[in-house]
Amino acid sequence: MDRTELATEKEAEESHRQDSVSLLTFILLLTLTILTIWLFKHRRVRFLHETGLAMIYGLIVGVILRYGTPSTSGHDKPFSCSQEDRPFTTLLVNVSGKFFEYTLKGEISPGKIHNVEQNDMLRKVTFDPEVFFNILLPPIIFHAGYSLKKRHFFRNLGSILAYAFLGTAVSCFIIGNLMYGVVKLMKLVGQLSDKFYYTDCLLFGAIISATDPVTVLAIFNELHADVDLYALLFGESVLNDAVAIVLSSSIVAYQPTGENTHAFDAAAFFKSVGVFLGIFSGSFMMGAVTGVVTFTKLHCFPLLETALFFLMSWSTFLLAEACGFTGVVAVLFCGITQAHYTYNNLSVESRSRTKQLFEVLHFLAENFIFSYMGLALFTFQKHIFSPVFIIGAFIAIFFGRAAHIYPLSFLLNLGRRHKISWNFQHMMMFSGLRGAMAFALAIRDTATYSHQMMFSTTLLIVFFTVWIVGGGTTPMLSWLNIRSVCNCVLGKLHFSGGYCDGPDSERRNRTKQESAWLFRLWYSFDHNYLKPILTHSGPPLTTTLPSWCGLVARCLTSPQVYDNQEQLREEDSDFILNDGDLTVTYGDTTITANGSSGPHTATTSLDGRRTKSSSEEALEHDVGAADHEVTSRGTRLVFPLEDNA
Amino acid sequence: MDRTELATEKEAEESHRQDSVSLLTFILLLTLTILTIWLFKHRRVRFLHETGLAMIYGLIVGVILRYGTPSTSGHDKPFSCSQEDRPFTTLLVNVSGKFFEYTLKGEISPGKIHNVEQNDMLRKVTFDPEVFFNILLPPIIFHAGYSLKKRHFFRNLGSILAYAFLGTAVSCFIIGNLMYGVVKLMKLVGQLSDKFYYTDCLLFGAIISATDPVTVLAIFNELHADVDLYALLFGESVLNDAVAIVLSSSIVAYQPTGENTHAFDAAAFFKSVGVFLGIFSGSFMMGAVTGVVTFTKLHCFPLLETALFFLMSWSTFLLAEACGFTGVVAVLFCGITQAHYTYNNLSVESRSRTKQLFEVLHFLAENFIFSYMGLALFTFQKHIFSPVFIIGAFIAIFFGRAAHIYPLSFLLNLGRRHKISWNFQHMMMFSGLRGAMAFALAIRDTATYSHQMMFSTTLLIVFFTVWIVGGGTTPMLSWLNIRSVCNCVLGKLHFSGGYCDGPDSERRNRTKQESAWLFRLWYSFDHNYLKPILTHSGPPLTTTLPSWCGLVARCLTSPQVYDNQEQLREEDSDFILNDGDLTVTYGDTTITANGSSGPHTATTSLDGRRTKSSSEEALEHDVGAADHEVTSRGTRLVFPLEDNA
């Protein structure tokens, strides 16, 4: 082994050591965040959410890395070689008789070449943007889908779809146009030094339209605020992430032909719309199908079941990516479908295992992204902060959100029996935080001047909205007079299910009447046909299908259905309430909503008093049990609330 | 956007698609393995372990990838450039005015350059060897440490350490020398075309000395074979992984000075020994210290607790790597320490969460490695199979194992009161399987001819031992007449704790007398001083320390200790039995060893009848309860065994 080899080895070792240190930095950040969250929960501090906290710690470490570490020159020097007109993905370089393989990392803009001799540590803590899309976002989005409050979600499905699709499109278009005005202005004043096309503005609109009210929802959970508002906000934010990501891909795909680039071109526009519809429906189908396919029968082996569940969710992502669809969107719908069907087929232990597994993954990924954001403000090398652009962007997102929340709510209220009140509309307007998805979309491509400016602006918008809006949620809720549904005091660990009878039974009747027709239609179809086929429960198809389908019905119905028939009505309502996470936590402490506490098993229903036979009755039963969900949600992490009016 | 950019983008997209497909291949493999395992468990097939199965599926997919996919040329052509005498880690290449960044991937031996134009898919499914060390091995090794049967482990600590340290060193030395003979022979016959030094032979000895009896232990678990044998085998295999990995690093570090390379040099030898001791003790200390430090107080928030636990374990790994120690070894000792101290501080839910989390990670990582091994037989591009070397290696590992098991057992039996019988020695000899660690060590460096030959041989040895030895364990056990300890028939789910009174109480007395003095000494120190400081339980230090230490004792004792004092004696014995995984599985089904079934909580002890006050009594109590562990282990995945005599 000669000196050269030794030197190379030493260098590789040093690089490995630095990799470890940089990862260790992030783990330190997360550990600090966790400890502080614990302190905050303990002291009941609610003005700063954990994600806001993660960003602050990230900022601090970013400053230290930026100004505290020495700037080493590294061994990378500009190296000029004539090649063909296109870079190879792999290079073989002959160094005094030995061949070394190099892989393409990316293009560097000519103006930045002297910057390459930069701080080694800063480069080490900068991740490949694809890490966010392929590793960190999937668990977050899957968890969102898997823990969607299905009952309320489906009850408000129409409104949620309207906000998510129409709303995001409107917001994207308005922000894009406003920003184009800002860019024109900047060109006039001479503040813009490089190209900034109309498509870039639209892309910015798409990126910044992905809302992420994680902070607001966490506070809703703790304060047990209105369930419908929760469902609207959560459903909108989950789906508009999917819309925003596909929208940005279709804007990137918008490439007018001919010389007249970056102007409007009808053919290219329709191609983009086609791309949007194709990717979205493809991802949706793929997610839904794989979600349905993973109905397992490995009841006796929770470890195998959990591993299989995890692998199938991940393969949905990869399959979608391999087919050219969007993995994140597929994973979202996979999560929703799995929660609805596969969850029913899992054994009791696997239910808790999968919930807990994805909860931890989601928690770590989310806090990682937010602390990375804090770090990126100082460690990212190509920031371009333009005050005019930033102020313009803040104004644009304000108008963009206002321009879809209020008009859409007005239109929806025409059709809704349970109107979205002004206070709710203000709250939705206020809750338009930007988070992980906007960041991931913005960092994906920072090659050009315009994209770098968009990235820096997005970062600032995320900081501002998470800190200010997150901290202002509690005052805003009380100012808008959105009271919590049930003021029962929760027991600390032995949750004895407070049952407020007065306002609650009144509410129940009201809610029942207001169930949307879309929900009723979907529910009865799902309950009578889909559930019996896809899960081993529900009424046998032989009873729900017309008699001439007898043979088909018998083939599709699993023999276990007949045994489980009676059981389902309990479990199903239970499931729709999505309180699976509750039954896990307390071992043999039984949680009952009507106050009686007996030796129930973990699948005991929350409200098991009425078991009528028709599905219509089961539906009513579900609606009736709605409020308990609210009171029982969040007991996992929440202390009893004395400050609740 | 011009044509060049578009082409580059297309290529990047294609590469991303291929990445997804290759990952998907592995997920498909794991899914297939899981489904087949389930079938096997269901049908009680025991001749093939899941790891053996994973390898078979890997082989099949490897054949398909090798011969079924078209060989594309790719865009990587030899590209000759004059550079200084040492390759840079980063290259900047100027392609018609645009700069592209390339990173160094590794050296390619001159003879292989035409091979670079290879099958794209084959290259995609070939992972960076460091993936094994940094991602896949840590969860496997941590889980091994975390689930070490502590009581039996510590009772046999002396023997286990002897087998792991002396045994591995002897085995490495003998195999190395025998292989050097084989290599000399091959040179004489003219079968060796390149260099093969003595240090290479020793490295091979170290690599192949890491035993991994995962198959044997799984069968032991199912058949409830002798606990002491189990402890000896498991303890040895866990620790000898650590020894082998550090041994191989020190052999690599053995570089004689001067011209006389690859001959014996006393200075270099002692330097290597120093490196071994330094790395091992450093990693040990680091793991133990971080394991101890992570005692948490986040009782009320299982999610935070679990996340913190996970992060701390991972940071141990990274910290050790950053300091130049061996992360895998540090993680092992971190796992052992955490199971012993931190586990006691966790809330009941976090205990089950952490167990389950690491169980899933371990399961996925292990099966991934084994299916990768199957795949690598066909997809690895630089195999060198030499029949003489392979046959020599099989003979060498046989002698290497025989030469340390029998002499060491003889020496140990001189000191042991509870002798290691001949049958046990034969079983240990037989159980010398090679697995994940040997593979990971061998694939780490395949740059030279000798290392490639070693890698191919290691692969074959792993295949052979896992399939043949794994399949032969059940017949071997019955042939050697190693009967299971307790023949009680286990209930399928409601485990009512069969208590065989006749042979058992007899055994108990015997076992008590045979407890090693090392164990007794350690136990009382641990129980009286370490537990009270590091966990919130145990006798208060004020009672165990001499009176003149009063002030120190009061400072170090947490106030909770006084409350928990009585409780510990139960929990502690329970904990040493390590049946935490049992209490999780069955929710509110209480597991009691003496037949009574009441509403105990999850921390109820297995045998809670006797609670005397002195620690000596508690010790006796532990020893007495030993056998229940055997009967209760493995119920998680095992069906009742009717074929048990």
Side-chain angles (χ1 to χ4, degrees):
Chain A
M1 214 178 268
D2 47 45
R3 250 178 340 108
T4 325
E5 268 177 56
L6 269 181
T8 320
E9 212 169 79
K10 275 257 166 66
E11 217 166 78
E13 238 171 57
E14 179 60 24
S15 161
H16 176 69
R17 208 186 58 79
Q18 284 183 344
D19 279 337
S20 301
V21 171
S22 73
L23 265 178
L24 209 56
T25 311
F26 284 104
I27 291 185
L28 180 82
L29 272 175
L30 287 181
T31 310
L32 263 177
T33 311
I34 291 175
L35 289 176
T36 324
I37 293 169
W38 171 76
L39 202 75
F40 276 22
K41 295 224 188 249
H42 205 68
R43 299 268 162 93
R44 291 179 218 166
V45 175
R46 217 177 279 131
F47 66 85
L48 187 59
H49 186 251
E50 54 201 60
T51 49
L53 200 72
M55 289 201 298
I56 292 177
Y57 282 128
L59 276 178
I60 295 169
V61 175
V63 170
I64 294 170
L65 284 180
R66 178 76 186 232
Y67 303 107
T69 53
S71 172
T72 54
S73 70
H75 287 283
D76 32 3
K77 296 186 189 106
F79 174 71
S80 194
C81 272
S82 61
Q83 233 185 337
E84 292 167 39
D85 63 336
R86 200 156 60 80
F88 294 129
T89 45
T90 317
L91 276 191
L92 278 185
V93 177
N94 183 344
V95 182
S96 49
K98 282 198 176 117
F99 287 88
F100 291 90
E101 197 180 354
Y102 284 80
T103 46
L104 180 62
K105 216 177 156 191
E107 193 187 336
I108 292 175
S109 65
K112 296 279 170 183
I113 286 188
H114 37 273
N115 275 7
V116 172
E117 293 183 60
Q118 70 200 358
N119 189 324
D120 261 6
M121 199 60 210
L122 287 191
R123 204 179 41 206
K124 285 283 177 192
V125 295
T126 307
F127 284 84
D128 181 351
E130 292 305 309
V131 166
F132 295 99
F133 268 85
N134 297 326
I135 297 175
L136 295 169
L137 276 187
I140 296 179
I141 300 290
F142 181 85
H143 185 257
Y146 198 57
S147 62
L148 206 69
K149 289 183 158 205
K150 276 146 290 294
R151 228 189 63 75
H152 293 279
F153 175 72
F154 287 115
R155 233 178 61 196
N156 293 296
L157 191 62
S159 311
I160 289 171
L161 288 178
Y163 284 124
F165 281 86
L166 276 180
T168 309
V170 166
S171 163
C172 165
F173 190 73
I174 288 179
I175 294 175
N177 281 298
L178 285 176
M179 289 323 289
Y180 194 57
V182 170
V183 166
K184 285 258 177 204
L185 188 79
M186 284 167 74
K187 270 192 188 141
L188 272 181
V189 183
Q191 285 223 344
L192 204 67
S193 61
D194 214 329
K195 292 172 210 157
F196 210 123
Y197 299 113
Y198 182 63
T199 44
D200 291 331
C201 293
L202 272 186
L203 182 63
F204 182 69
I207 287 173
I208 213 70
S209 291
T211 59
D212 178 10
V214 50
T215 321
V216 176
L217 295 177
I219 292 167
F220 271 40
N221 240 345
E222 289 193 31
L223 295 179
H224 311 302
D226 191 275
V227 266
D228 278 317
L229 184 54
Y230 186 98
L232 282 176
L233 266 179
F234 190 55
E236 187 220 340
S237 77
V238 165
L239 285 183
N240 91 358
D241 280 358
V243 174
I245 192 174
V246 181
L247 209 54
S248 64
S249 317
S250 12
I251 291 171
V252 170
Y254 174 80
Q255 270 144 1
T257 47
E259 288 305 296
N260 188 16
T261 50
H262 301 284
F264 186 78
D265 180 320
F269 174 75
F270 284 113
K271 196 187 141 218
S272 273
V273 171
V275 166
F276 177 86
L277 292 177
I279 293 183
F280 199 92
S281 55
S283 309
F284 171 77
M285 285 304 295
M286 192 149 280
V289 167
T290 42
V292 159
V293 162
T294 55
F295 66 117
T296 75
K297 273 184 160 190
L298 318 182
H299 262 317
C300 318
F301 310 105
L303 176 63
L304 299 185
E305 232 176 6
T306 312
L308 193 66
F309 193 87
F310 177 78
L311 289 178
M312 291 309 287
S313 320
W314 196 19
S315 68
T316 306
F317 176 83
L318 292 173
L319 201 64
E321 290 284 322
C323 296
F325 298 128
T326 310
V328 176
V329 178
V331 151
L332 169 67
F333 291 107
C334 175
I336 296 177
T337 330
Q338 283 190 324
H340 201 60
Y341 299 112
T342 319
Y343 190 83
N344 278 340
N345 295 326
L346 292 177
S347 65
V348 176
E349 204 201 328
S350 297
R351 287 182 197 185
S352 87
R353 277 191 180 213
T354 50
K355 277 252 170 203
Q356 290 173 355
L357 179 68
F358 284 110
E359 204 183 354
V360 169
L361 291 180
H362 152 88
F363 177 83
L364 290 176
E366 191 173 82
N367 281 293
F368 182 87
I369 288 196
F370 278 91
S371 41
Y372 188 82
M373 276 189 229
L375 208 71
L377 189 62
F378 288 96
T379 59
F380 185 70
Q381 304 275 321
K382 310 173 209 161
H383 275 305
I384 298 173
F385 293 106
S386 154
V388 180
F389 191 83
I390 291 165
I391 294 168
F394 271 100
I395 297 170
I397 63 166
F398 179 81
F399 280 111
R401 186 138 185 102
H404 85 260
I405 290 290
Y406 294 114
L408 270 180
S409 304
F410 174 76
L411 291 176
L412 287 169
N413 275 342
L414 297 180
R416 279 177 74 102
R417 259 178 287 182
H418 180 50
K419 308 290 180 208
I420 301 167
S421 72
W422 277 106
N423 283 351
F424 279 21
Q425 293 179 33
H426 295 323
M427 196 63 219
M428 289 189 74
M429 172 71 209
F430 178 77
S431 311
L433 287 91
R434 270 65 176 175
M437 181 57 85
F439 171 78
L441 283 172
I443 206 177
R444 199 167 201 181
D445 182 2
T446 52
T448 65
Y449 177 84
S450 56
H451 284 89
Q452 285 159 13
M453 190 185 273
M454 277 151 55
F455 173 67
S456 305
T457 310
T458 306
L459 211 54
L460 288 184
I461 291 173
V462 173
F463 285 155
F464 180 81
T465 53
V466 168
W467 286 333
I468 306 297
V469 178
T473 304
T474 321
M476 197 70 177
L477 276 175
S478 55
W479 189 62
L480 288 175
N481 206 20
I482 299 173
R483 32 169 226 94
S484 46
V485 175
C486 191
N487 299 326
C488 319
V489 175
L490 302 172
K492 192 173 173 186
L493 253 179
H494 282 261
F495 171 70
S496 59
Y499 196 88
C500 306
D501 222 35
D504 186 56
S505 51
E506 191 187 299
R507 239 190 102 75
R508 184 185 303 164
N509 288 324
R510 217 179 55 213
T511 339
K512 190 203 153 184
Q513 291 157 14
E514 283 158 7
S515 290
W517 59 269
L518 194 65
F519 172 64
R520 281 175 179 268
L521 197 74
W522 181 84
Y523 182 89
S524 67
F525 175 73
D526 178 57
H527 181 261
N528 289 335
Y529 306 109
L530 290 180
K531 279 254 162 97
I533 298 175
L534 298 174
T535 73
H536 308 300
S537 50
L541 282 177
T542 39
T543 62
T544 55
L545 279 178
S547 54
W548 53 266
C549 303
L551 191 68
V552 180
R554 237 166 294 138
C555 292
L556 286 174
T557 306
S558 114
Q560 294 165 44
V561 166
Y562 298 96
D563 308 332
N564 295 343
Q565 197 176 353
E566 214 32 57
Q567 194 195 337
L568 172 83
R569 228 151 270 136
E570 305 262 327
E571 258 189 42
D572 193 38
S573 54
D574 204 41
F575 170 64
I576 285 198
L577 285 171
N578 188 28
D579 53 349
D581 23 16
L582 251 189
T583 50
V584 175
T585 319
Y586 308 114
D588 54 352
T589 313
T590 312
I591 296 136
T592 48
N594 47 9
S596 79
S597 177
H600 297 202
T601 60
T603 50
T604 312
S605 81
L606 269 185
D607 186 354
R609 285 170 304 171
R610 282 177 297 156
T611 40
K612 297 185 185 168
S613 49
S614 78
S615 68
E616 191 62 9
E617 289 290 337
L619 173 64
E620 177 198 314
H621 166 78
D622 292 342
V623 179
D627 300 326
H628 308 307
E629 179 184 22
V630 194
T631 57
S632 59
R633 274 289 303 194
T635 41
R636 233 171 326 125
L637 288 185
V638 185
F639 275 101
L641 302 159
E642 279 104 20
D643 52 348
N644 236 357
Chain B
M1 213 179 272
D2 49 46
R3 248 176 344 108
T4 326
E5 267 177 57
L6 270 181
T8 320
E9 211 170 77
K10 276 257 165 64
E11 216 167 81
E13 239 170 56
E14 179 60 23
S15 160
H16 176 69
R17 207 186 59 78
Q18 283 183 346
D19 279 338
S20 300
V21 171
S22 73
L23 264 178
L24 210 56
T25 312
F26 284 104
I27 290 185
L28 180 83
L29 271 174
L30 286 180
T31 310
L32 262 176
T33 311
I34 290 175
L35 289 176
T36 325
I37 293 168
W38 171 76
L39 202 74
F40 277 21
K41 292 219 187 256
H42 206 67
R43 298 269 160 92
R44 289 175 222 171
V45 175
R46 217 178 280 131
F47 65 87
L48 187 59
H49 187 249
E50 54 201 61
T51 50
L53 199 73
M55 287 201 300
I56 292 177
Y57 282 128
L59 275 178
I60 296 170
V61 175
V63 169
I64 294 171
L65 285 181
R66 177 76 184 233
Y67 302 107
T69 54
S71 170
T72 54
S73 69
H75 286 285
D76 34 4
K77 293 184 191 108
F79 174 71
S80 194
C81 271
S82 62
Q83 231 186 342
E84 291 167 40
D85 62 335
R86 199 158 58 82
F88 294 129
T89 46
T90 317
L91 276 192
L92 278 184
V93 177
N94 184 344
V95 182
S96 48
K98 279 192 177 126
F99 287 89
F100 291 90
E101 198 180 355
Y102 285 81
T103 46
L104 180 62
K105 215 177 157 193
E107 195 188 335
I108 291 174
S109 65
K112 295 280 171 184
I113 285 189
H114 38 272
N115 274 8
V116 171
E117 293 184 59
Q118 68 199 2
N119 190 324
D120 260 6
M121 199 61 211
L122 286 192
R123 205 180 39 207
K124 285 283 176 191
V125 294
T126 307
F127 285 84
D128 182 349
E130 292 303 311
V131 167
F132 296 98
F133 268 86
N134 297 326
I135 297 174
L136 295 170
L137 276 187
I140 296 179
I141 299 291
F142 181 85
H143 184 257
Y146 199 56
S147 62
L148 204 69
K149 289 182 157 201
K150 276 145 290 294
R151 229 187 60 76
H152 292 280
F153 174 73
F154 287 114
R155 235 178 59 196
N156 293 297
L157 191 61
S159 311
I160 289 171
L161 289 178
Y163 284 125
F165 281 85
L166 276 179
T168 309
V170 166
S171 161
C172 164
F173 190 72
I174 288 180
I175 294 176
N177 281 299
L178 285 175
M179 289 322 290
Y180 194 56
V182 171
V183 166
K184 285 257 177 203
L185 189 79
M186 284 167 73
K187 269 190 189 146
L188 271 181
V189 183
Q191 286 222 343
L192 203 68
S193 61
D194 214 328
K195 292 173 211 155
F196 210 122
Y197 299 114
Y198 181 63
T199 44
D200 291 330
C201 293
L202 271 187
L203 182 63
F204 181 69
I207 287 172
I208 213 72
S209 291
T211 59
D212 178 10
V214 50
T215 323
V216 176
L217 293 178
I219 292 167
F220 270 40
N221 240 345
E222 289 193 32
L223 294 179
H224 312 303
D226 191 274
V227 267
D228 277 315
L229 183 55
Y230 185 99
L232 282 176
L233 266 178
F234 190 54
E236 187 220 340
S237 77
V238 165
L239 284 183
N240 91 356
D241 280 358
V243 174
I245 192 174
V246 181
L247 210 54
S248 63
S249 319
S250 5
I251 291 171
V252 170
Y254 174 80
Q255 269 144 2
T257 47
E259 288 305 296
N260 187 17
T261 49
H262 301 284
F264 185 79
D265 180 318
F269 174 77
F270 283 114
K271 197 187 139 216
S272 273
V273 172
V275 166
F276 177 87
L277 293 177
I279 293 183
F280 199 92
S281 55
S283 309
F284 171 77
M285 285 303 296
M286 193 150 280
V289 167
T290 42
V292 159
V293 162
T294 55
F295 65 117
T296 76
K297 272 185 160 189
L298 320 181
H299 263 317
C300 319
F301 311 105
L303 175 63
L304 299 185
E305 233 177 2
T306 312
L308 194 64
F309 193 86
F310 176 78
L311 289 178
M312 290 309 287
S313 320
W314 196 19
S315 68
T316 306
F317 176 83
L318 292 173
L319 201 63
E321 290 284 321
C323 295
F325 298 127
T326 309
V328 175
V329 178
V331 151
L332 169 67
F333 291 106
C334 175
I336 296 177
T337 328
Q338 283 191 325
H340 200 60
Y341 299 111
T342 319
Y343 191 84
N344 277 339
N345 295 327
L346 292 177
S347 65
V348 175
E349 203 202 330
S350 296
R351 287 182 196 185
S352 87
R353 277 191 178 214
T354 50
K355 277 253 170 202
Q356 291 174 355
L357 179 68
F358 285 109
E359 205 183 353
V360 169
L361 291 180
H362 153 87
F363 177 83
L364 289 176
E366 191 174 80
N367 281 294
F368 181 86
I369 287 196
F370 277 90
S371 42
Y372 188 81
M373 276 190 229
L375 208 71
L377 190 63
F378 287 97
T379 59
F380 186 70
Q381 303 276 320
K382 310 173 210 159
H383 274 304
I384 296 172
F385 292 107
S386 154
V388 180
F389 192 82
I390 291 164
I391 294 167
F394 271 99
I395 296 170
I397 62 166
F398 179 81
F399 280 112
R401 188 141 183 98
H404 85 262
I405 291 290
Y406 295 113
L408 269 179
S409 304
F410 173 76
L411 290 176
L412 287 170
N413 275 342
L414 296 180
R416 279 176 74 103
R417 259 179 285 184
H418 181 51
K419 309 289 183 212
I420 301 168
S421 73
W422 276 106
N423 282 351
F424 278 24
Q425 293 179 32
H426 295 322
M427 195 63 219
M428 288 187 76
M429 172 72 209
F430 178 78
S431 311
L433 287 89
R434 270 65 177 175
M437 181 56 85
F439 171 78
L441 283 172
I443 205 178
R444 199 167 199 181
D445 182 2
T446 52
T448 64
Y449 177 84
S450 56
H451 284 90
Q452 286 159 14
M453 191 185 274
M454 277 152 55
F455 173 67
S456 305
T457 310
T458 306
L459 211 54
L460 288 183
I461 290 174
V462 173
F463 284 155
F464 180 81
T465 53
V466 167
W467 285 332
I468 306 297
V469 178
T473 303
T474 322
M476 196 70 177
L477 276 175
S478 55
W479 188 63
L480 287 176
N481 204 22
I482 299 173
R483 31 172 227 93
S484 46
V485 175
C486 191
N487 298 327
C488 320
V489 176
L490 303 171
K492 191 172 173 184
L493 254 179
H494 282 262
F495 170 69
S496 61
Y499 197 90
C500 307
D501 223 35
D504 187 57
S505 51
E506 189 188 299
R507 237 189 103 77
R508 185 186 301 164
N509 287 323
R510 218 179 52 214
T511 339
K512 189 201 154 190
Q513 289 155 14
E514 284 158 5
S515 291
W517 59 271
L518 196 65
F519 172 63
R520 281 173 178 269
L521 198 74
W522 182 84
Y523 183 89
S524 68
F525 176 73
D526 178 58
H527 182 261
N528 289 335
Y529 305 110
L530 290 180
K531 279 255 163 98
I533 298 174
L534 298 174
T535 73
H536 309 299
S537 51
L541 282 176
T542 39
T543 62
T544 54
L545 280 178
S547 54
W548 52 267
C549 302
L551 192 68
V552 180
R554 237 166 293 139
C555 292
L556 287 174
T557 308
S558 109
Q560 293 165 42
V561 165
Y562 299 98
D563 309 332
N564 295 342
Q565 197 177 350
E566 215 30 58
Q567 193 196 335
L568 171 83
R569 227 151 272 136
E570 303 262 331
E571 259 189 43
D572 193 36
S573 53
D574 204 42
F575 172 63
I576 286 200
L577 285 171
N578 189 26
D579 54 349
D581 21 15
L582 251 189
T583 50
V584 176
T585 320
Y586 308 114
D588 55 351
T589 313
T590 312
I591 296 136
T592 49
N594 48 9
S596 79
S597 177
H600 297 200
T601 60
T603 51
T604 312
S605 84
L606 270 186
D607 185 354
R609 286 170 305 170
R610 282 175 299 153
T611 40
K612 299 186 183 166
S613 49
S614 79
S615 67
E616 190 64 8
E617 289 289 338
L619 172 62
E620 178 198 313
H621 167 77
D622 291 343
V623 179
D627 300 325
H628 309 306
E629 178 184 21
V630 194
T631 56
S632 59
R633 272 292 301 197
T635 41
R636 232 172 326 127
L637 288 187
V638 185
F639 275 102
L641 301 161
E642 280 105 17
D643 52 348
N644 236 355

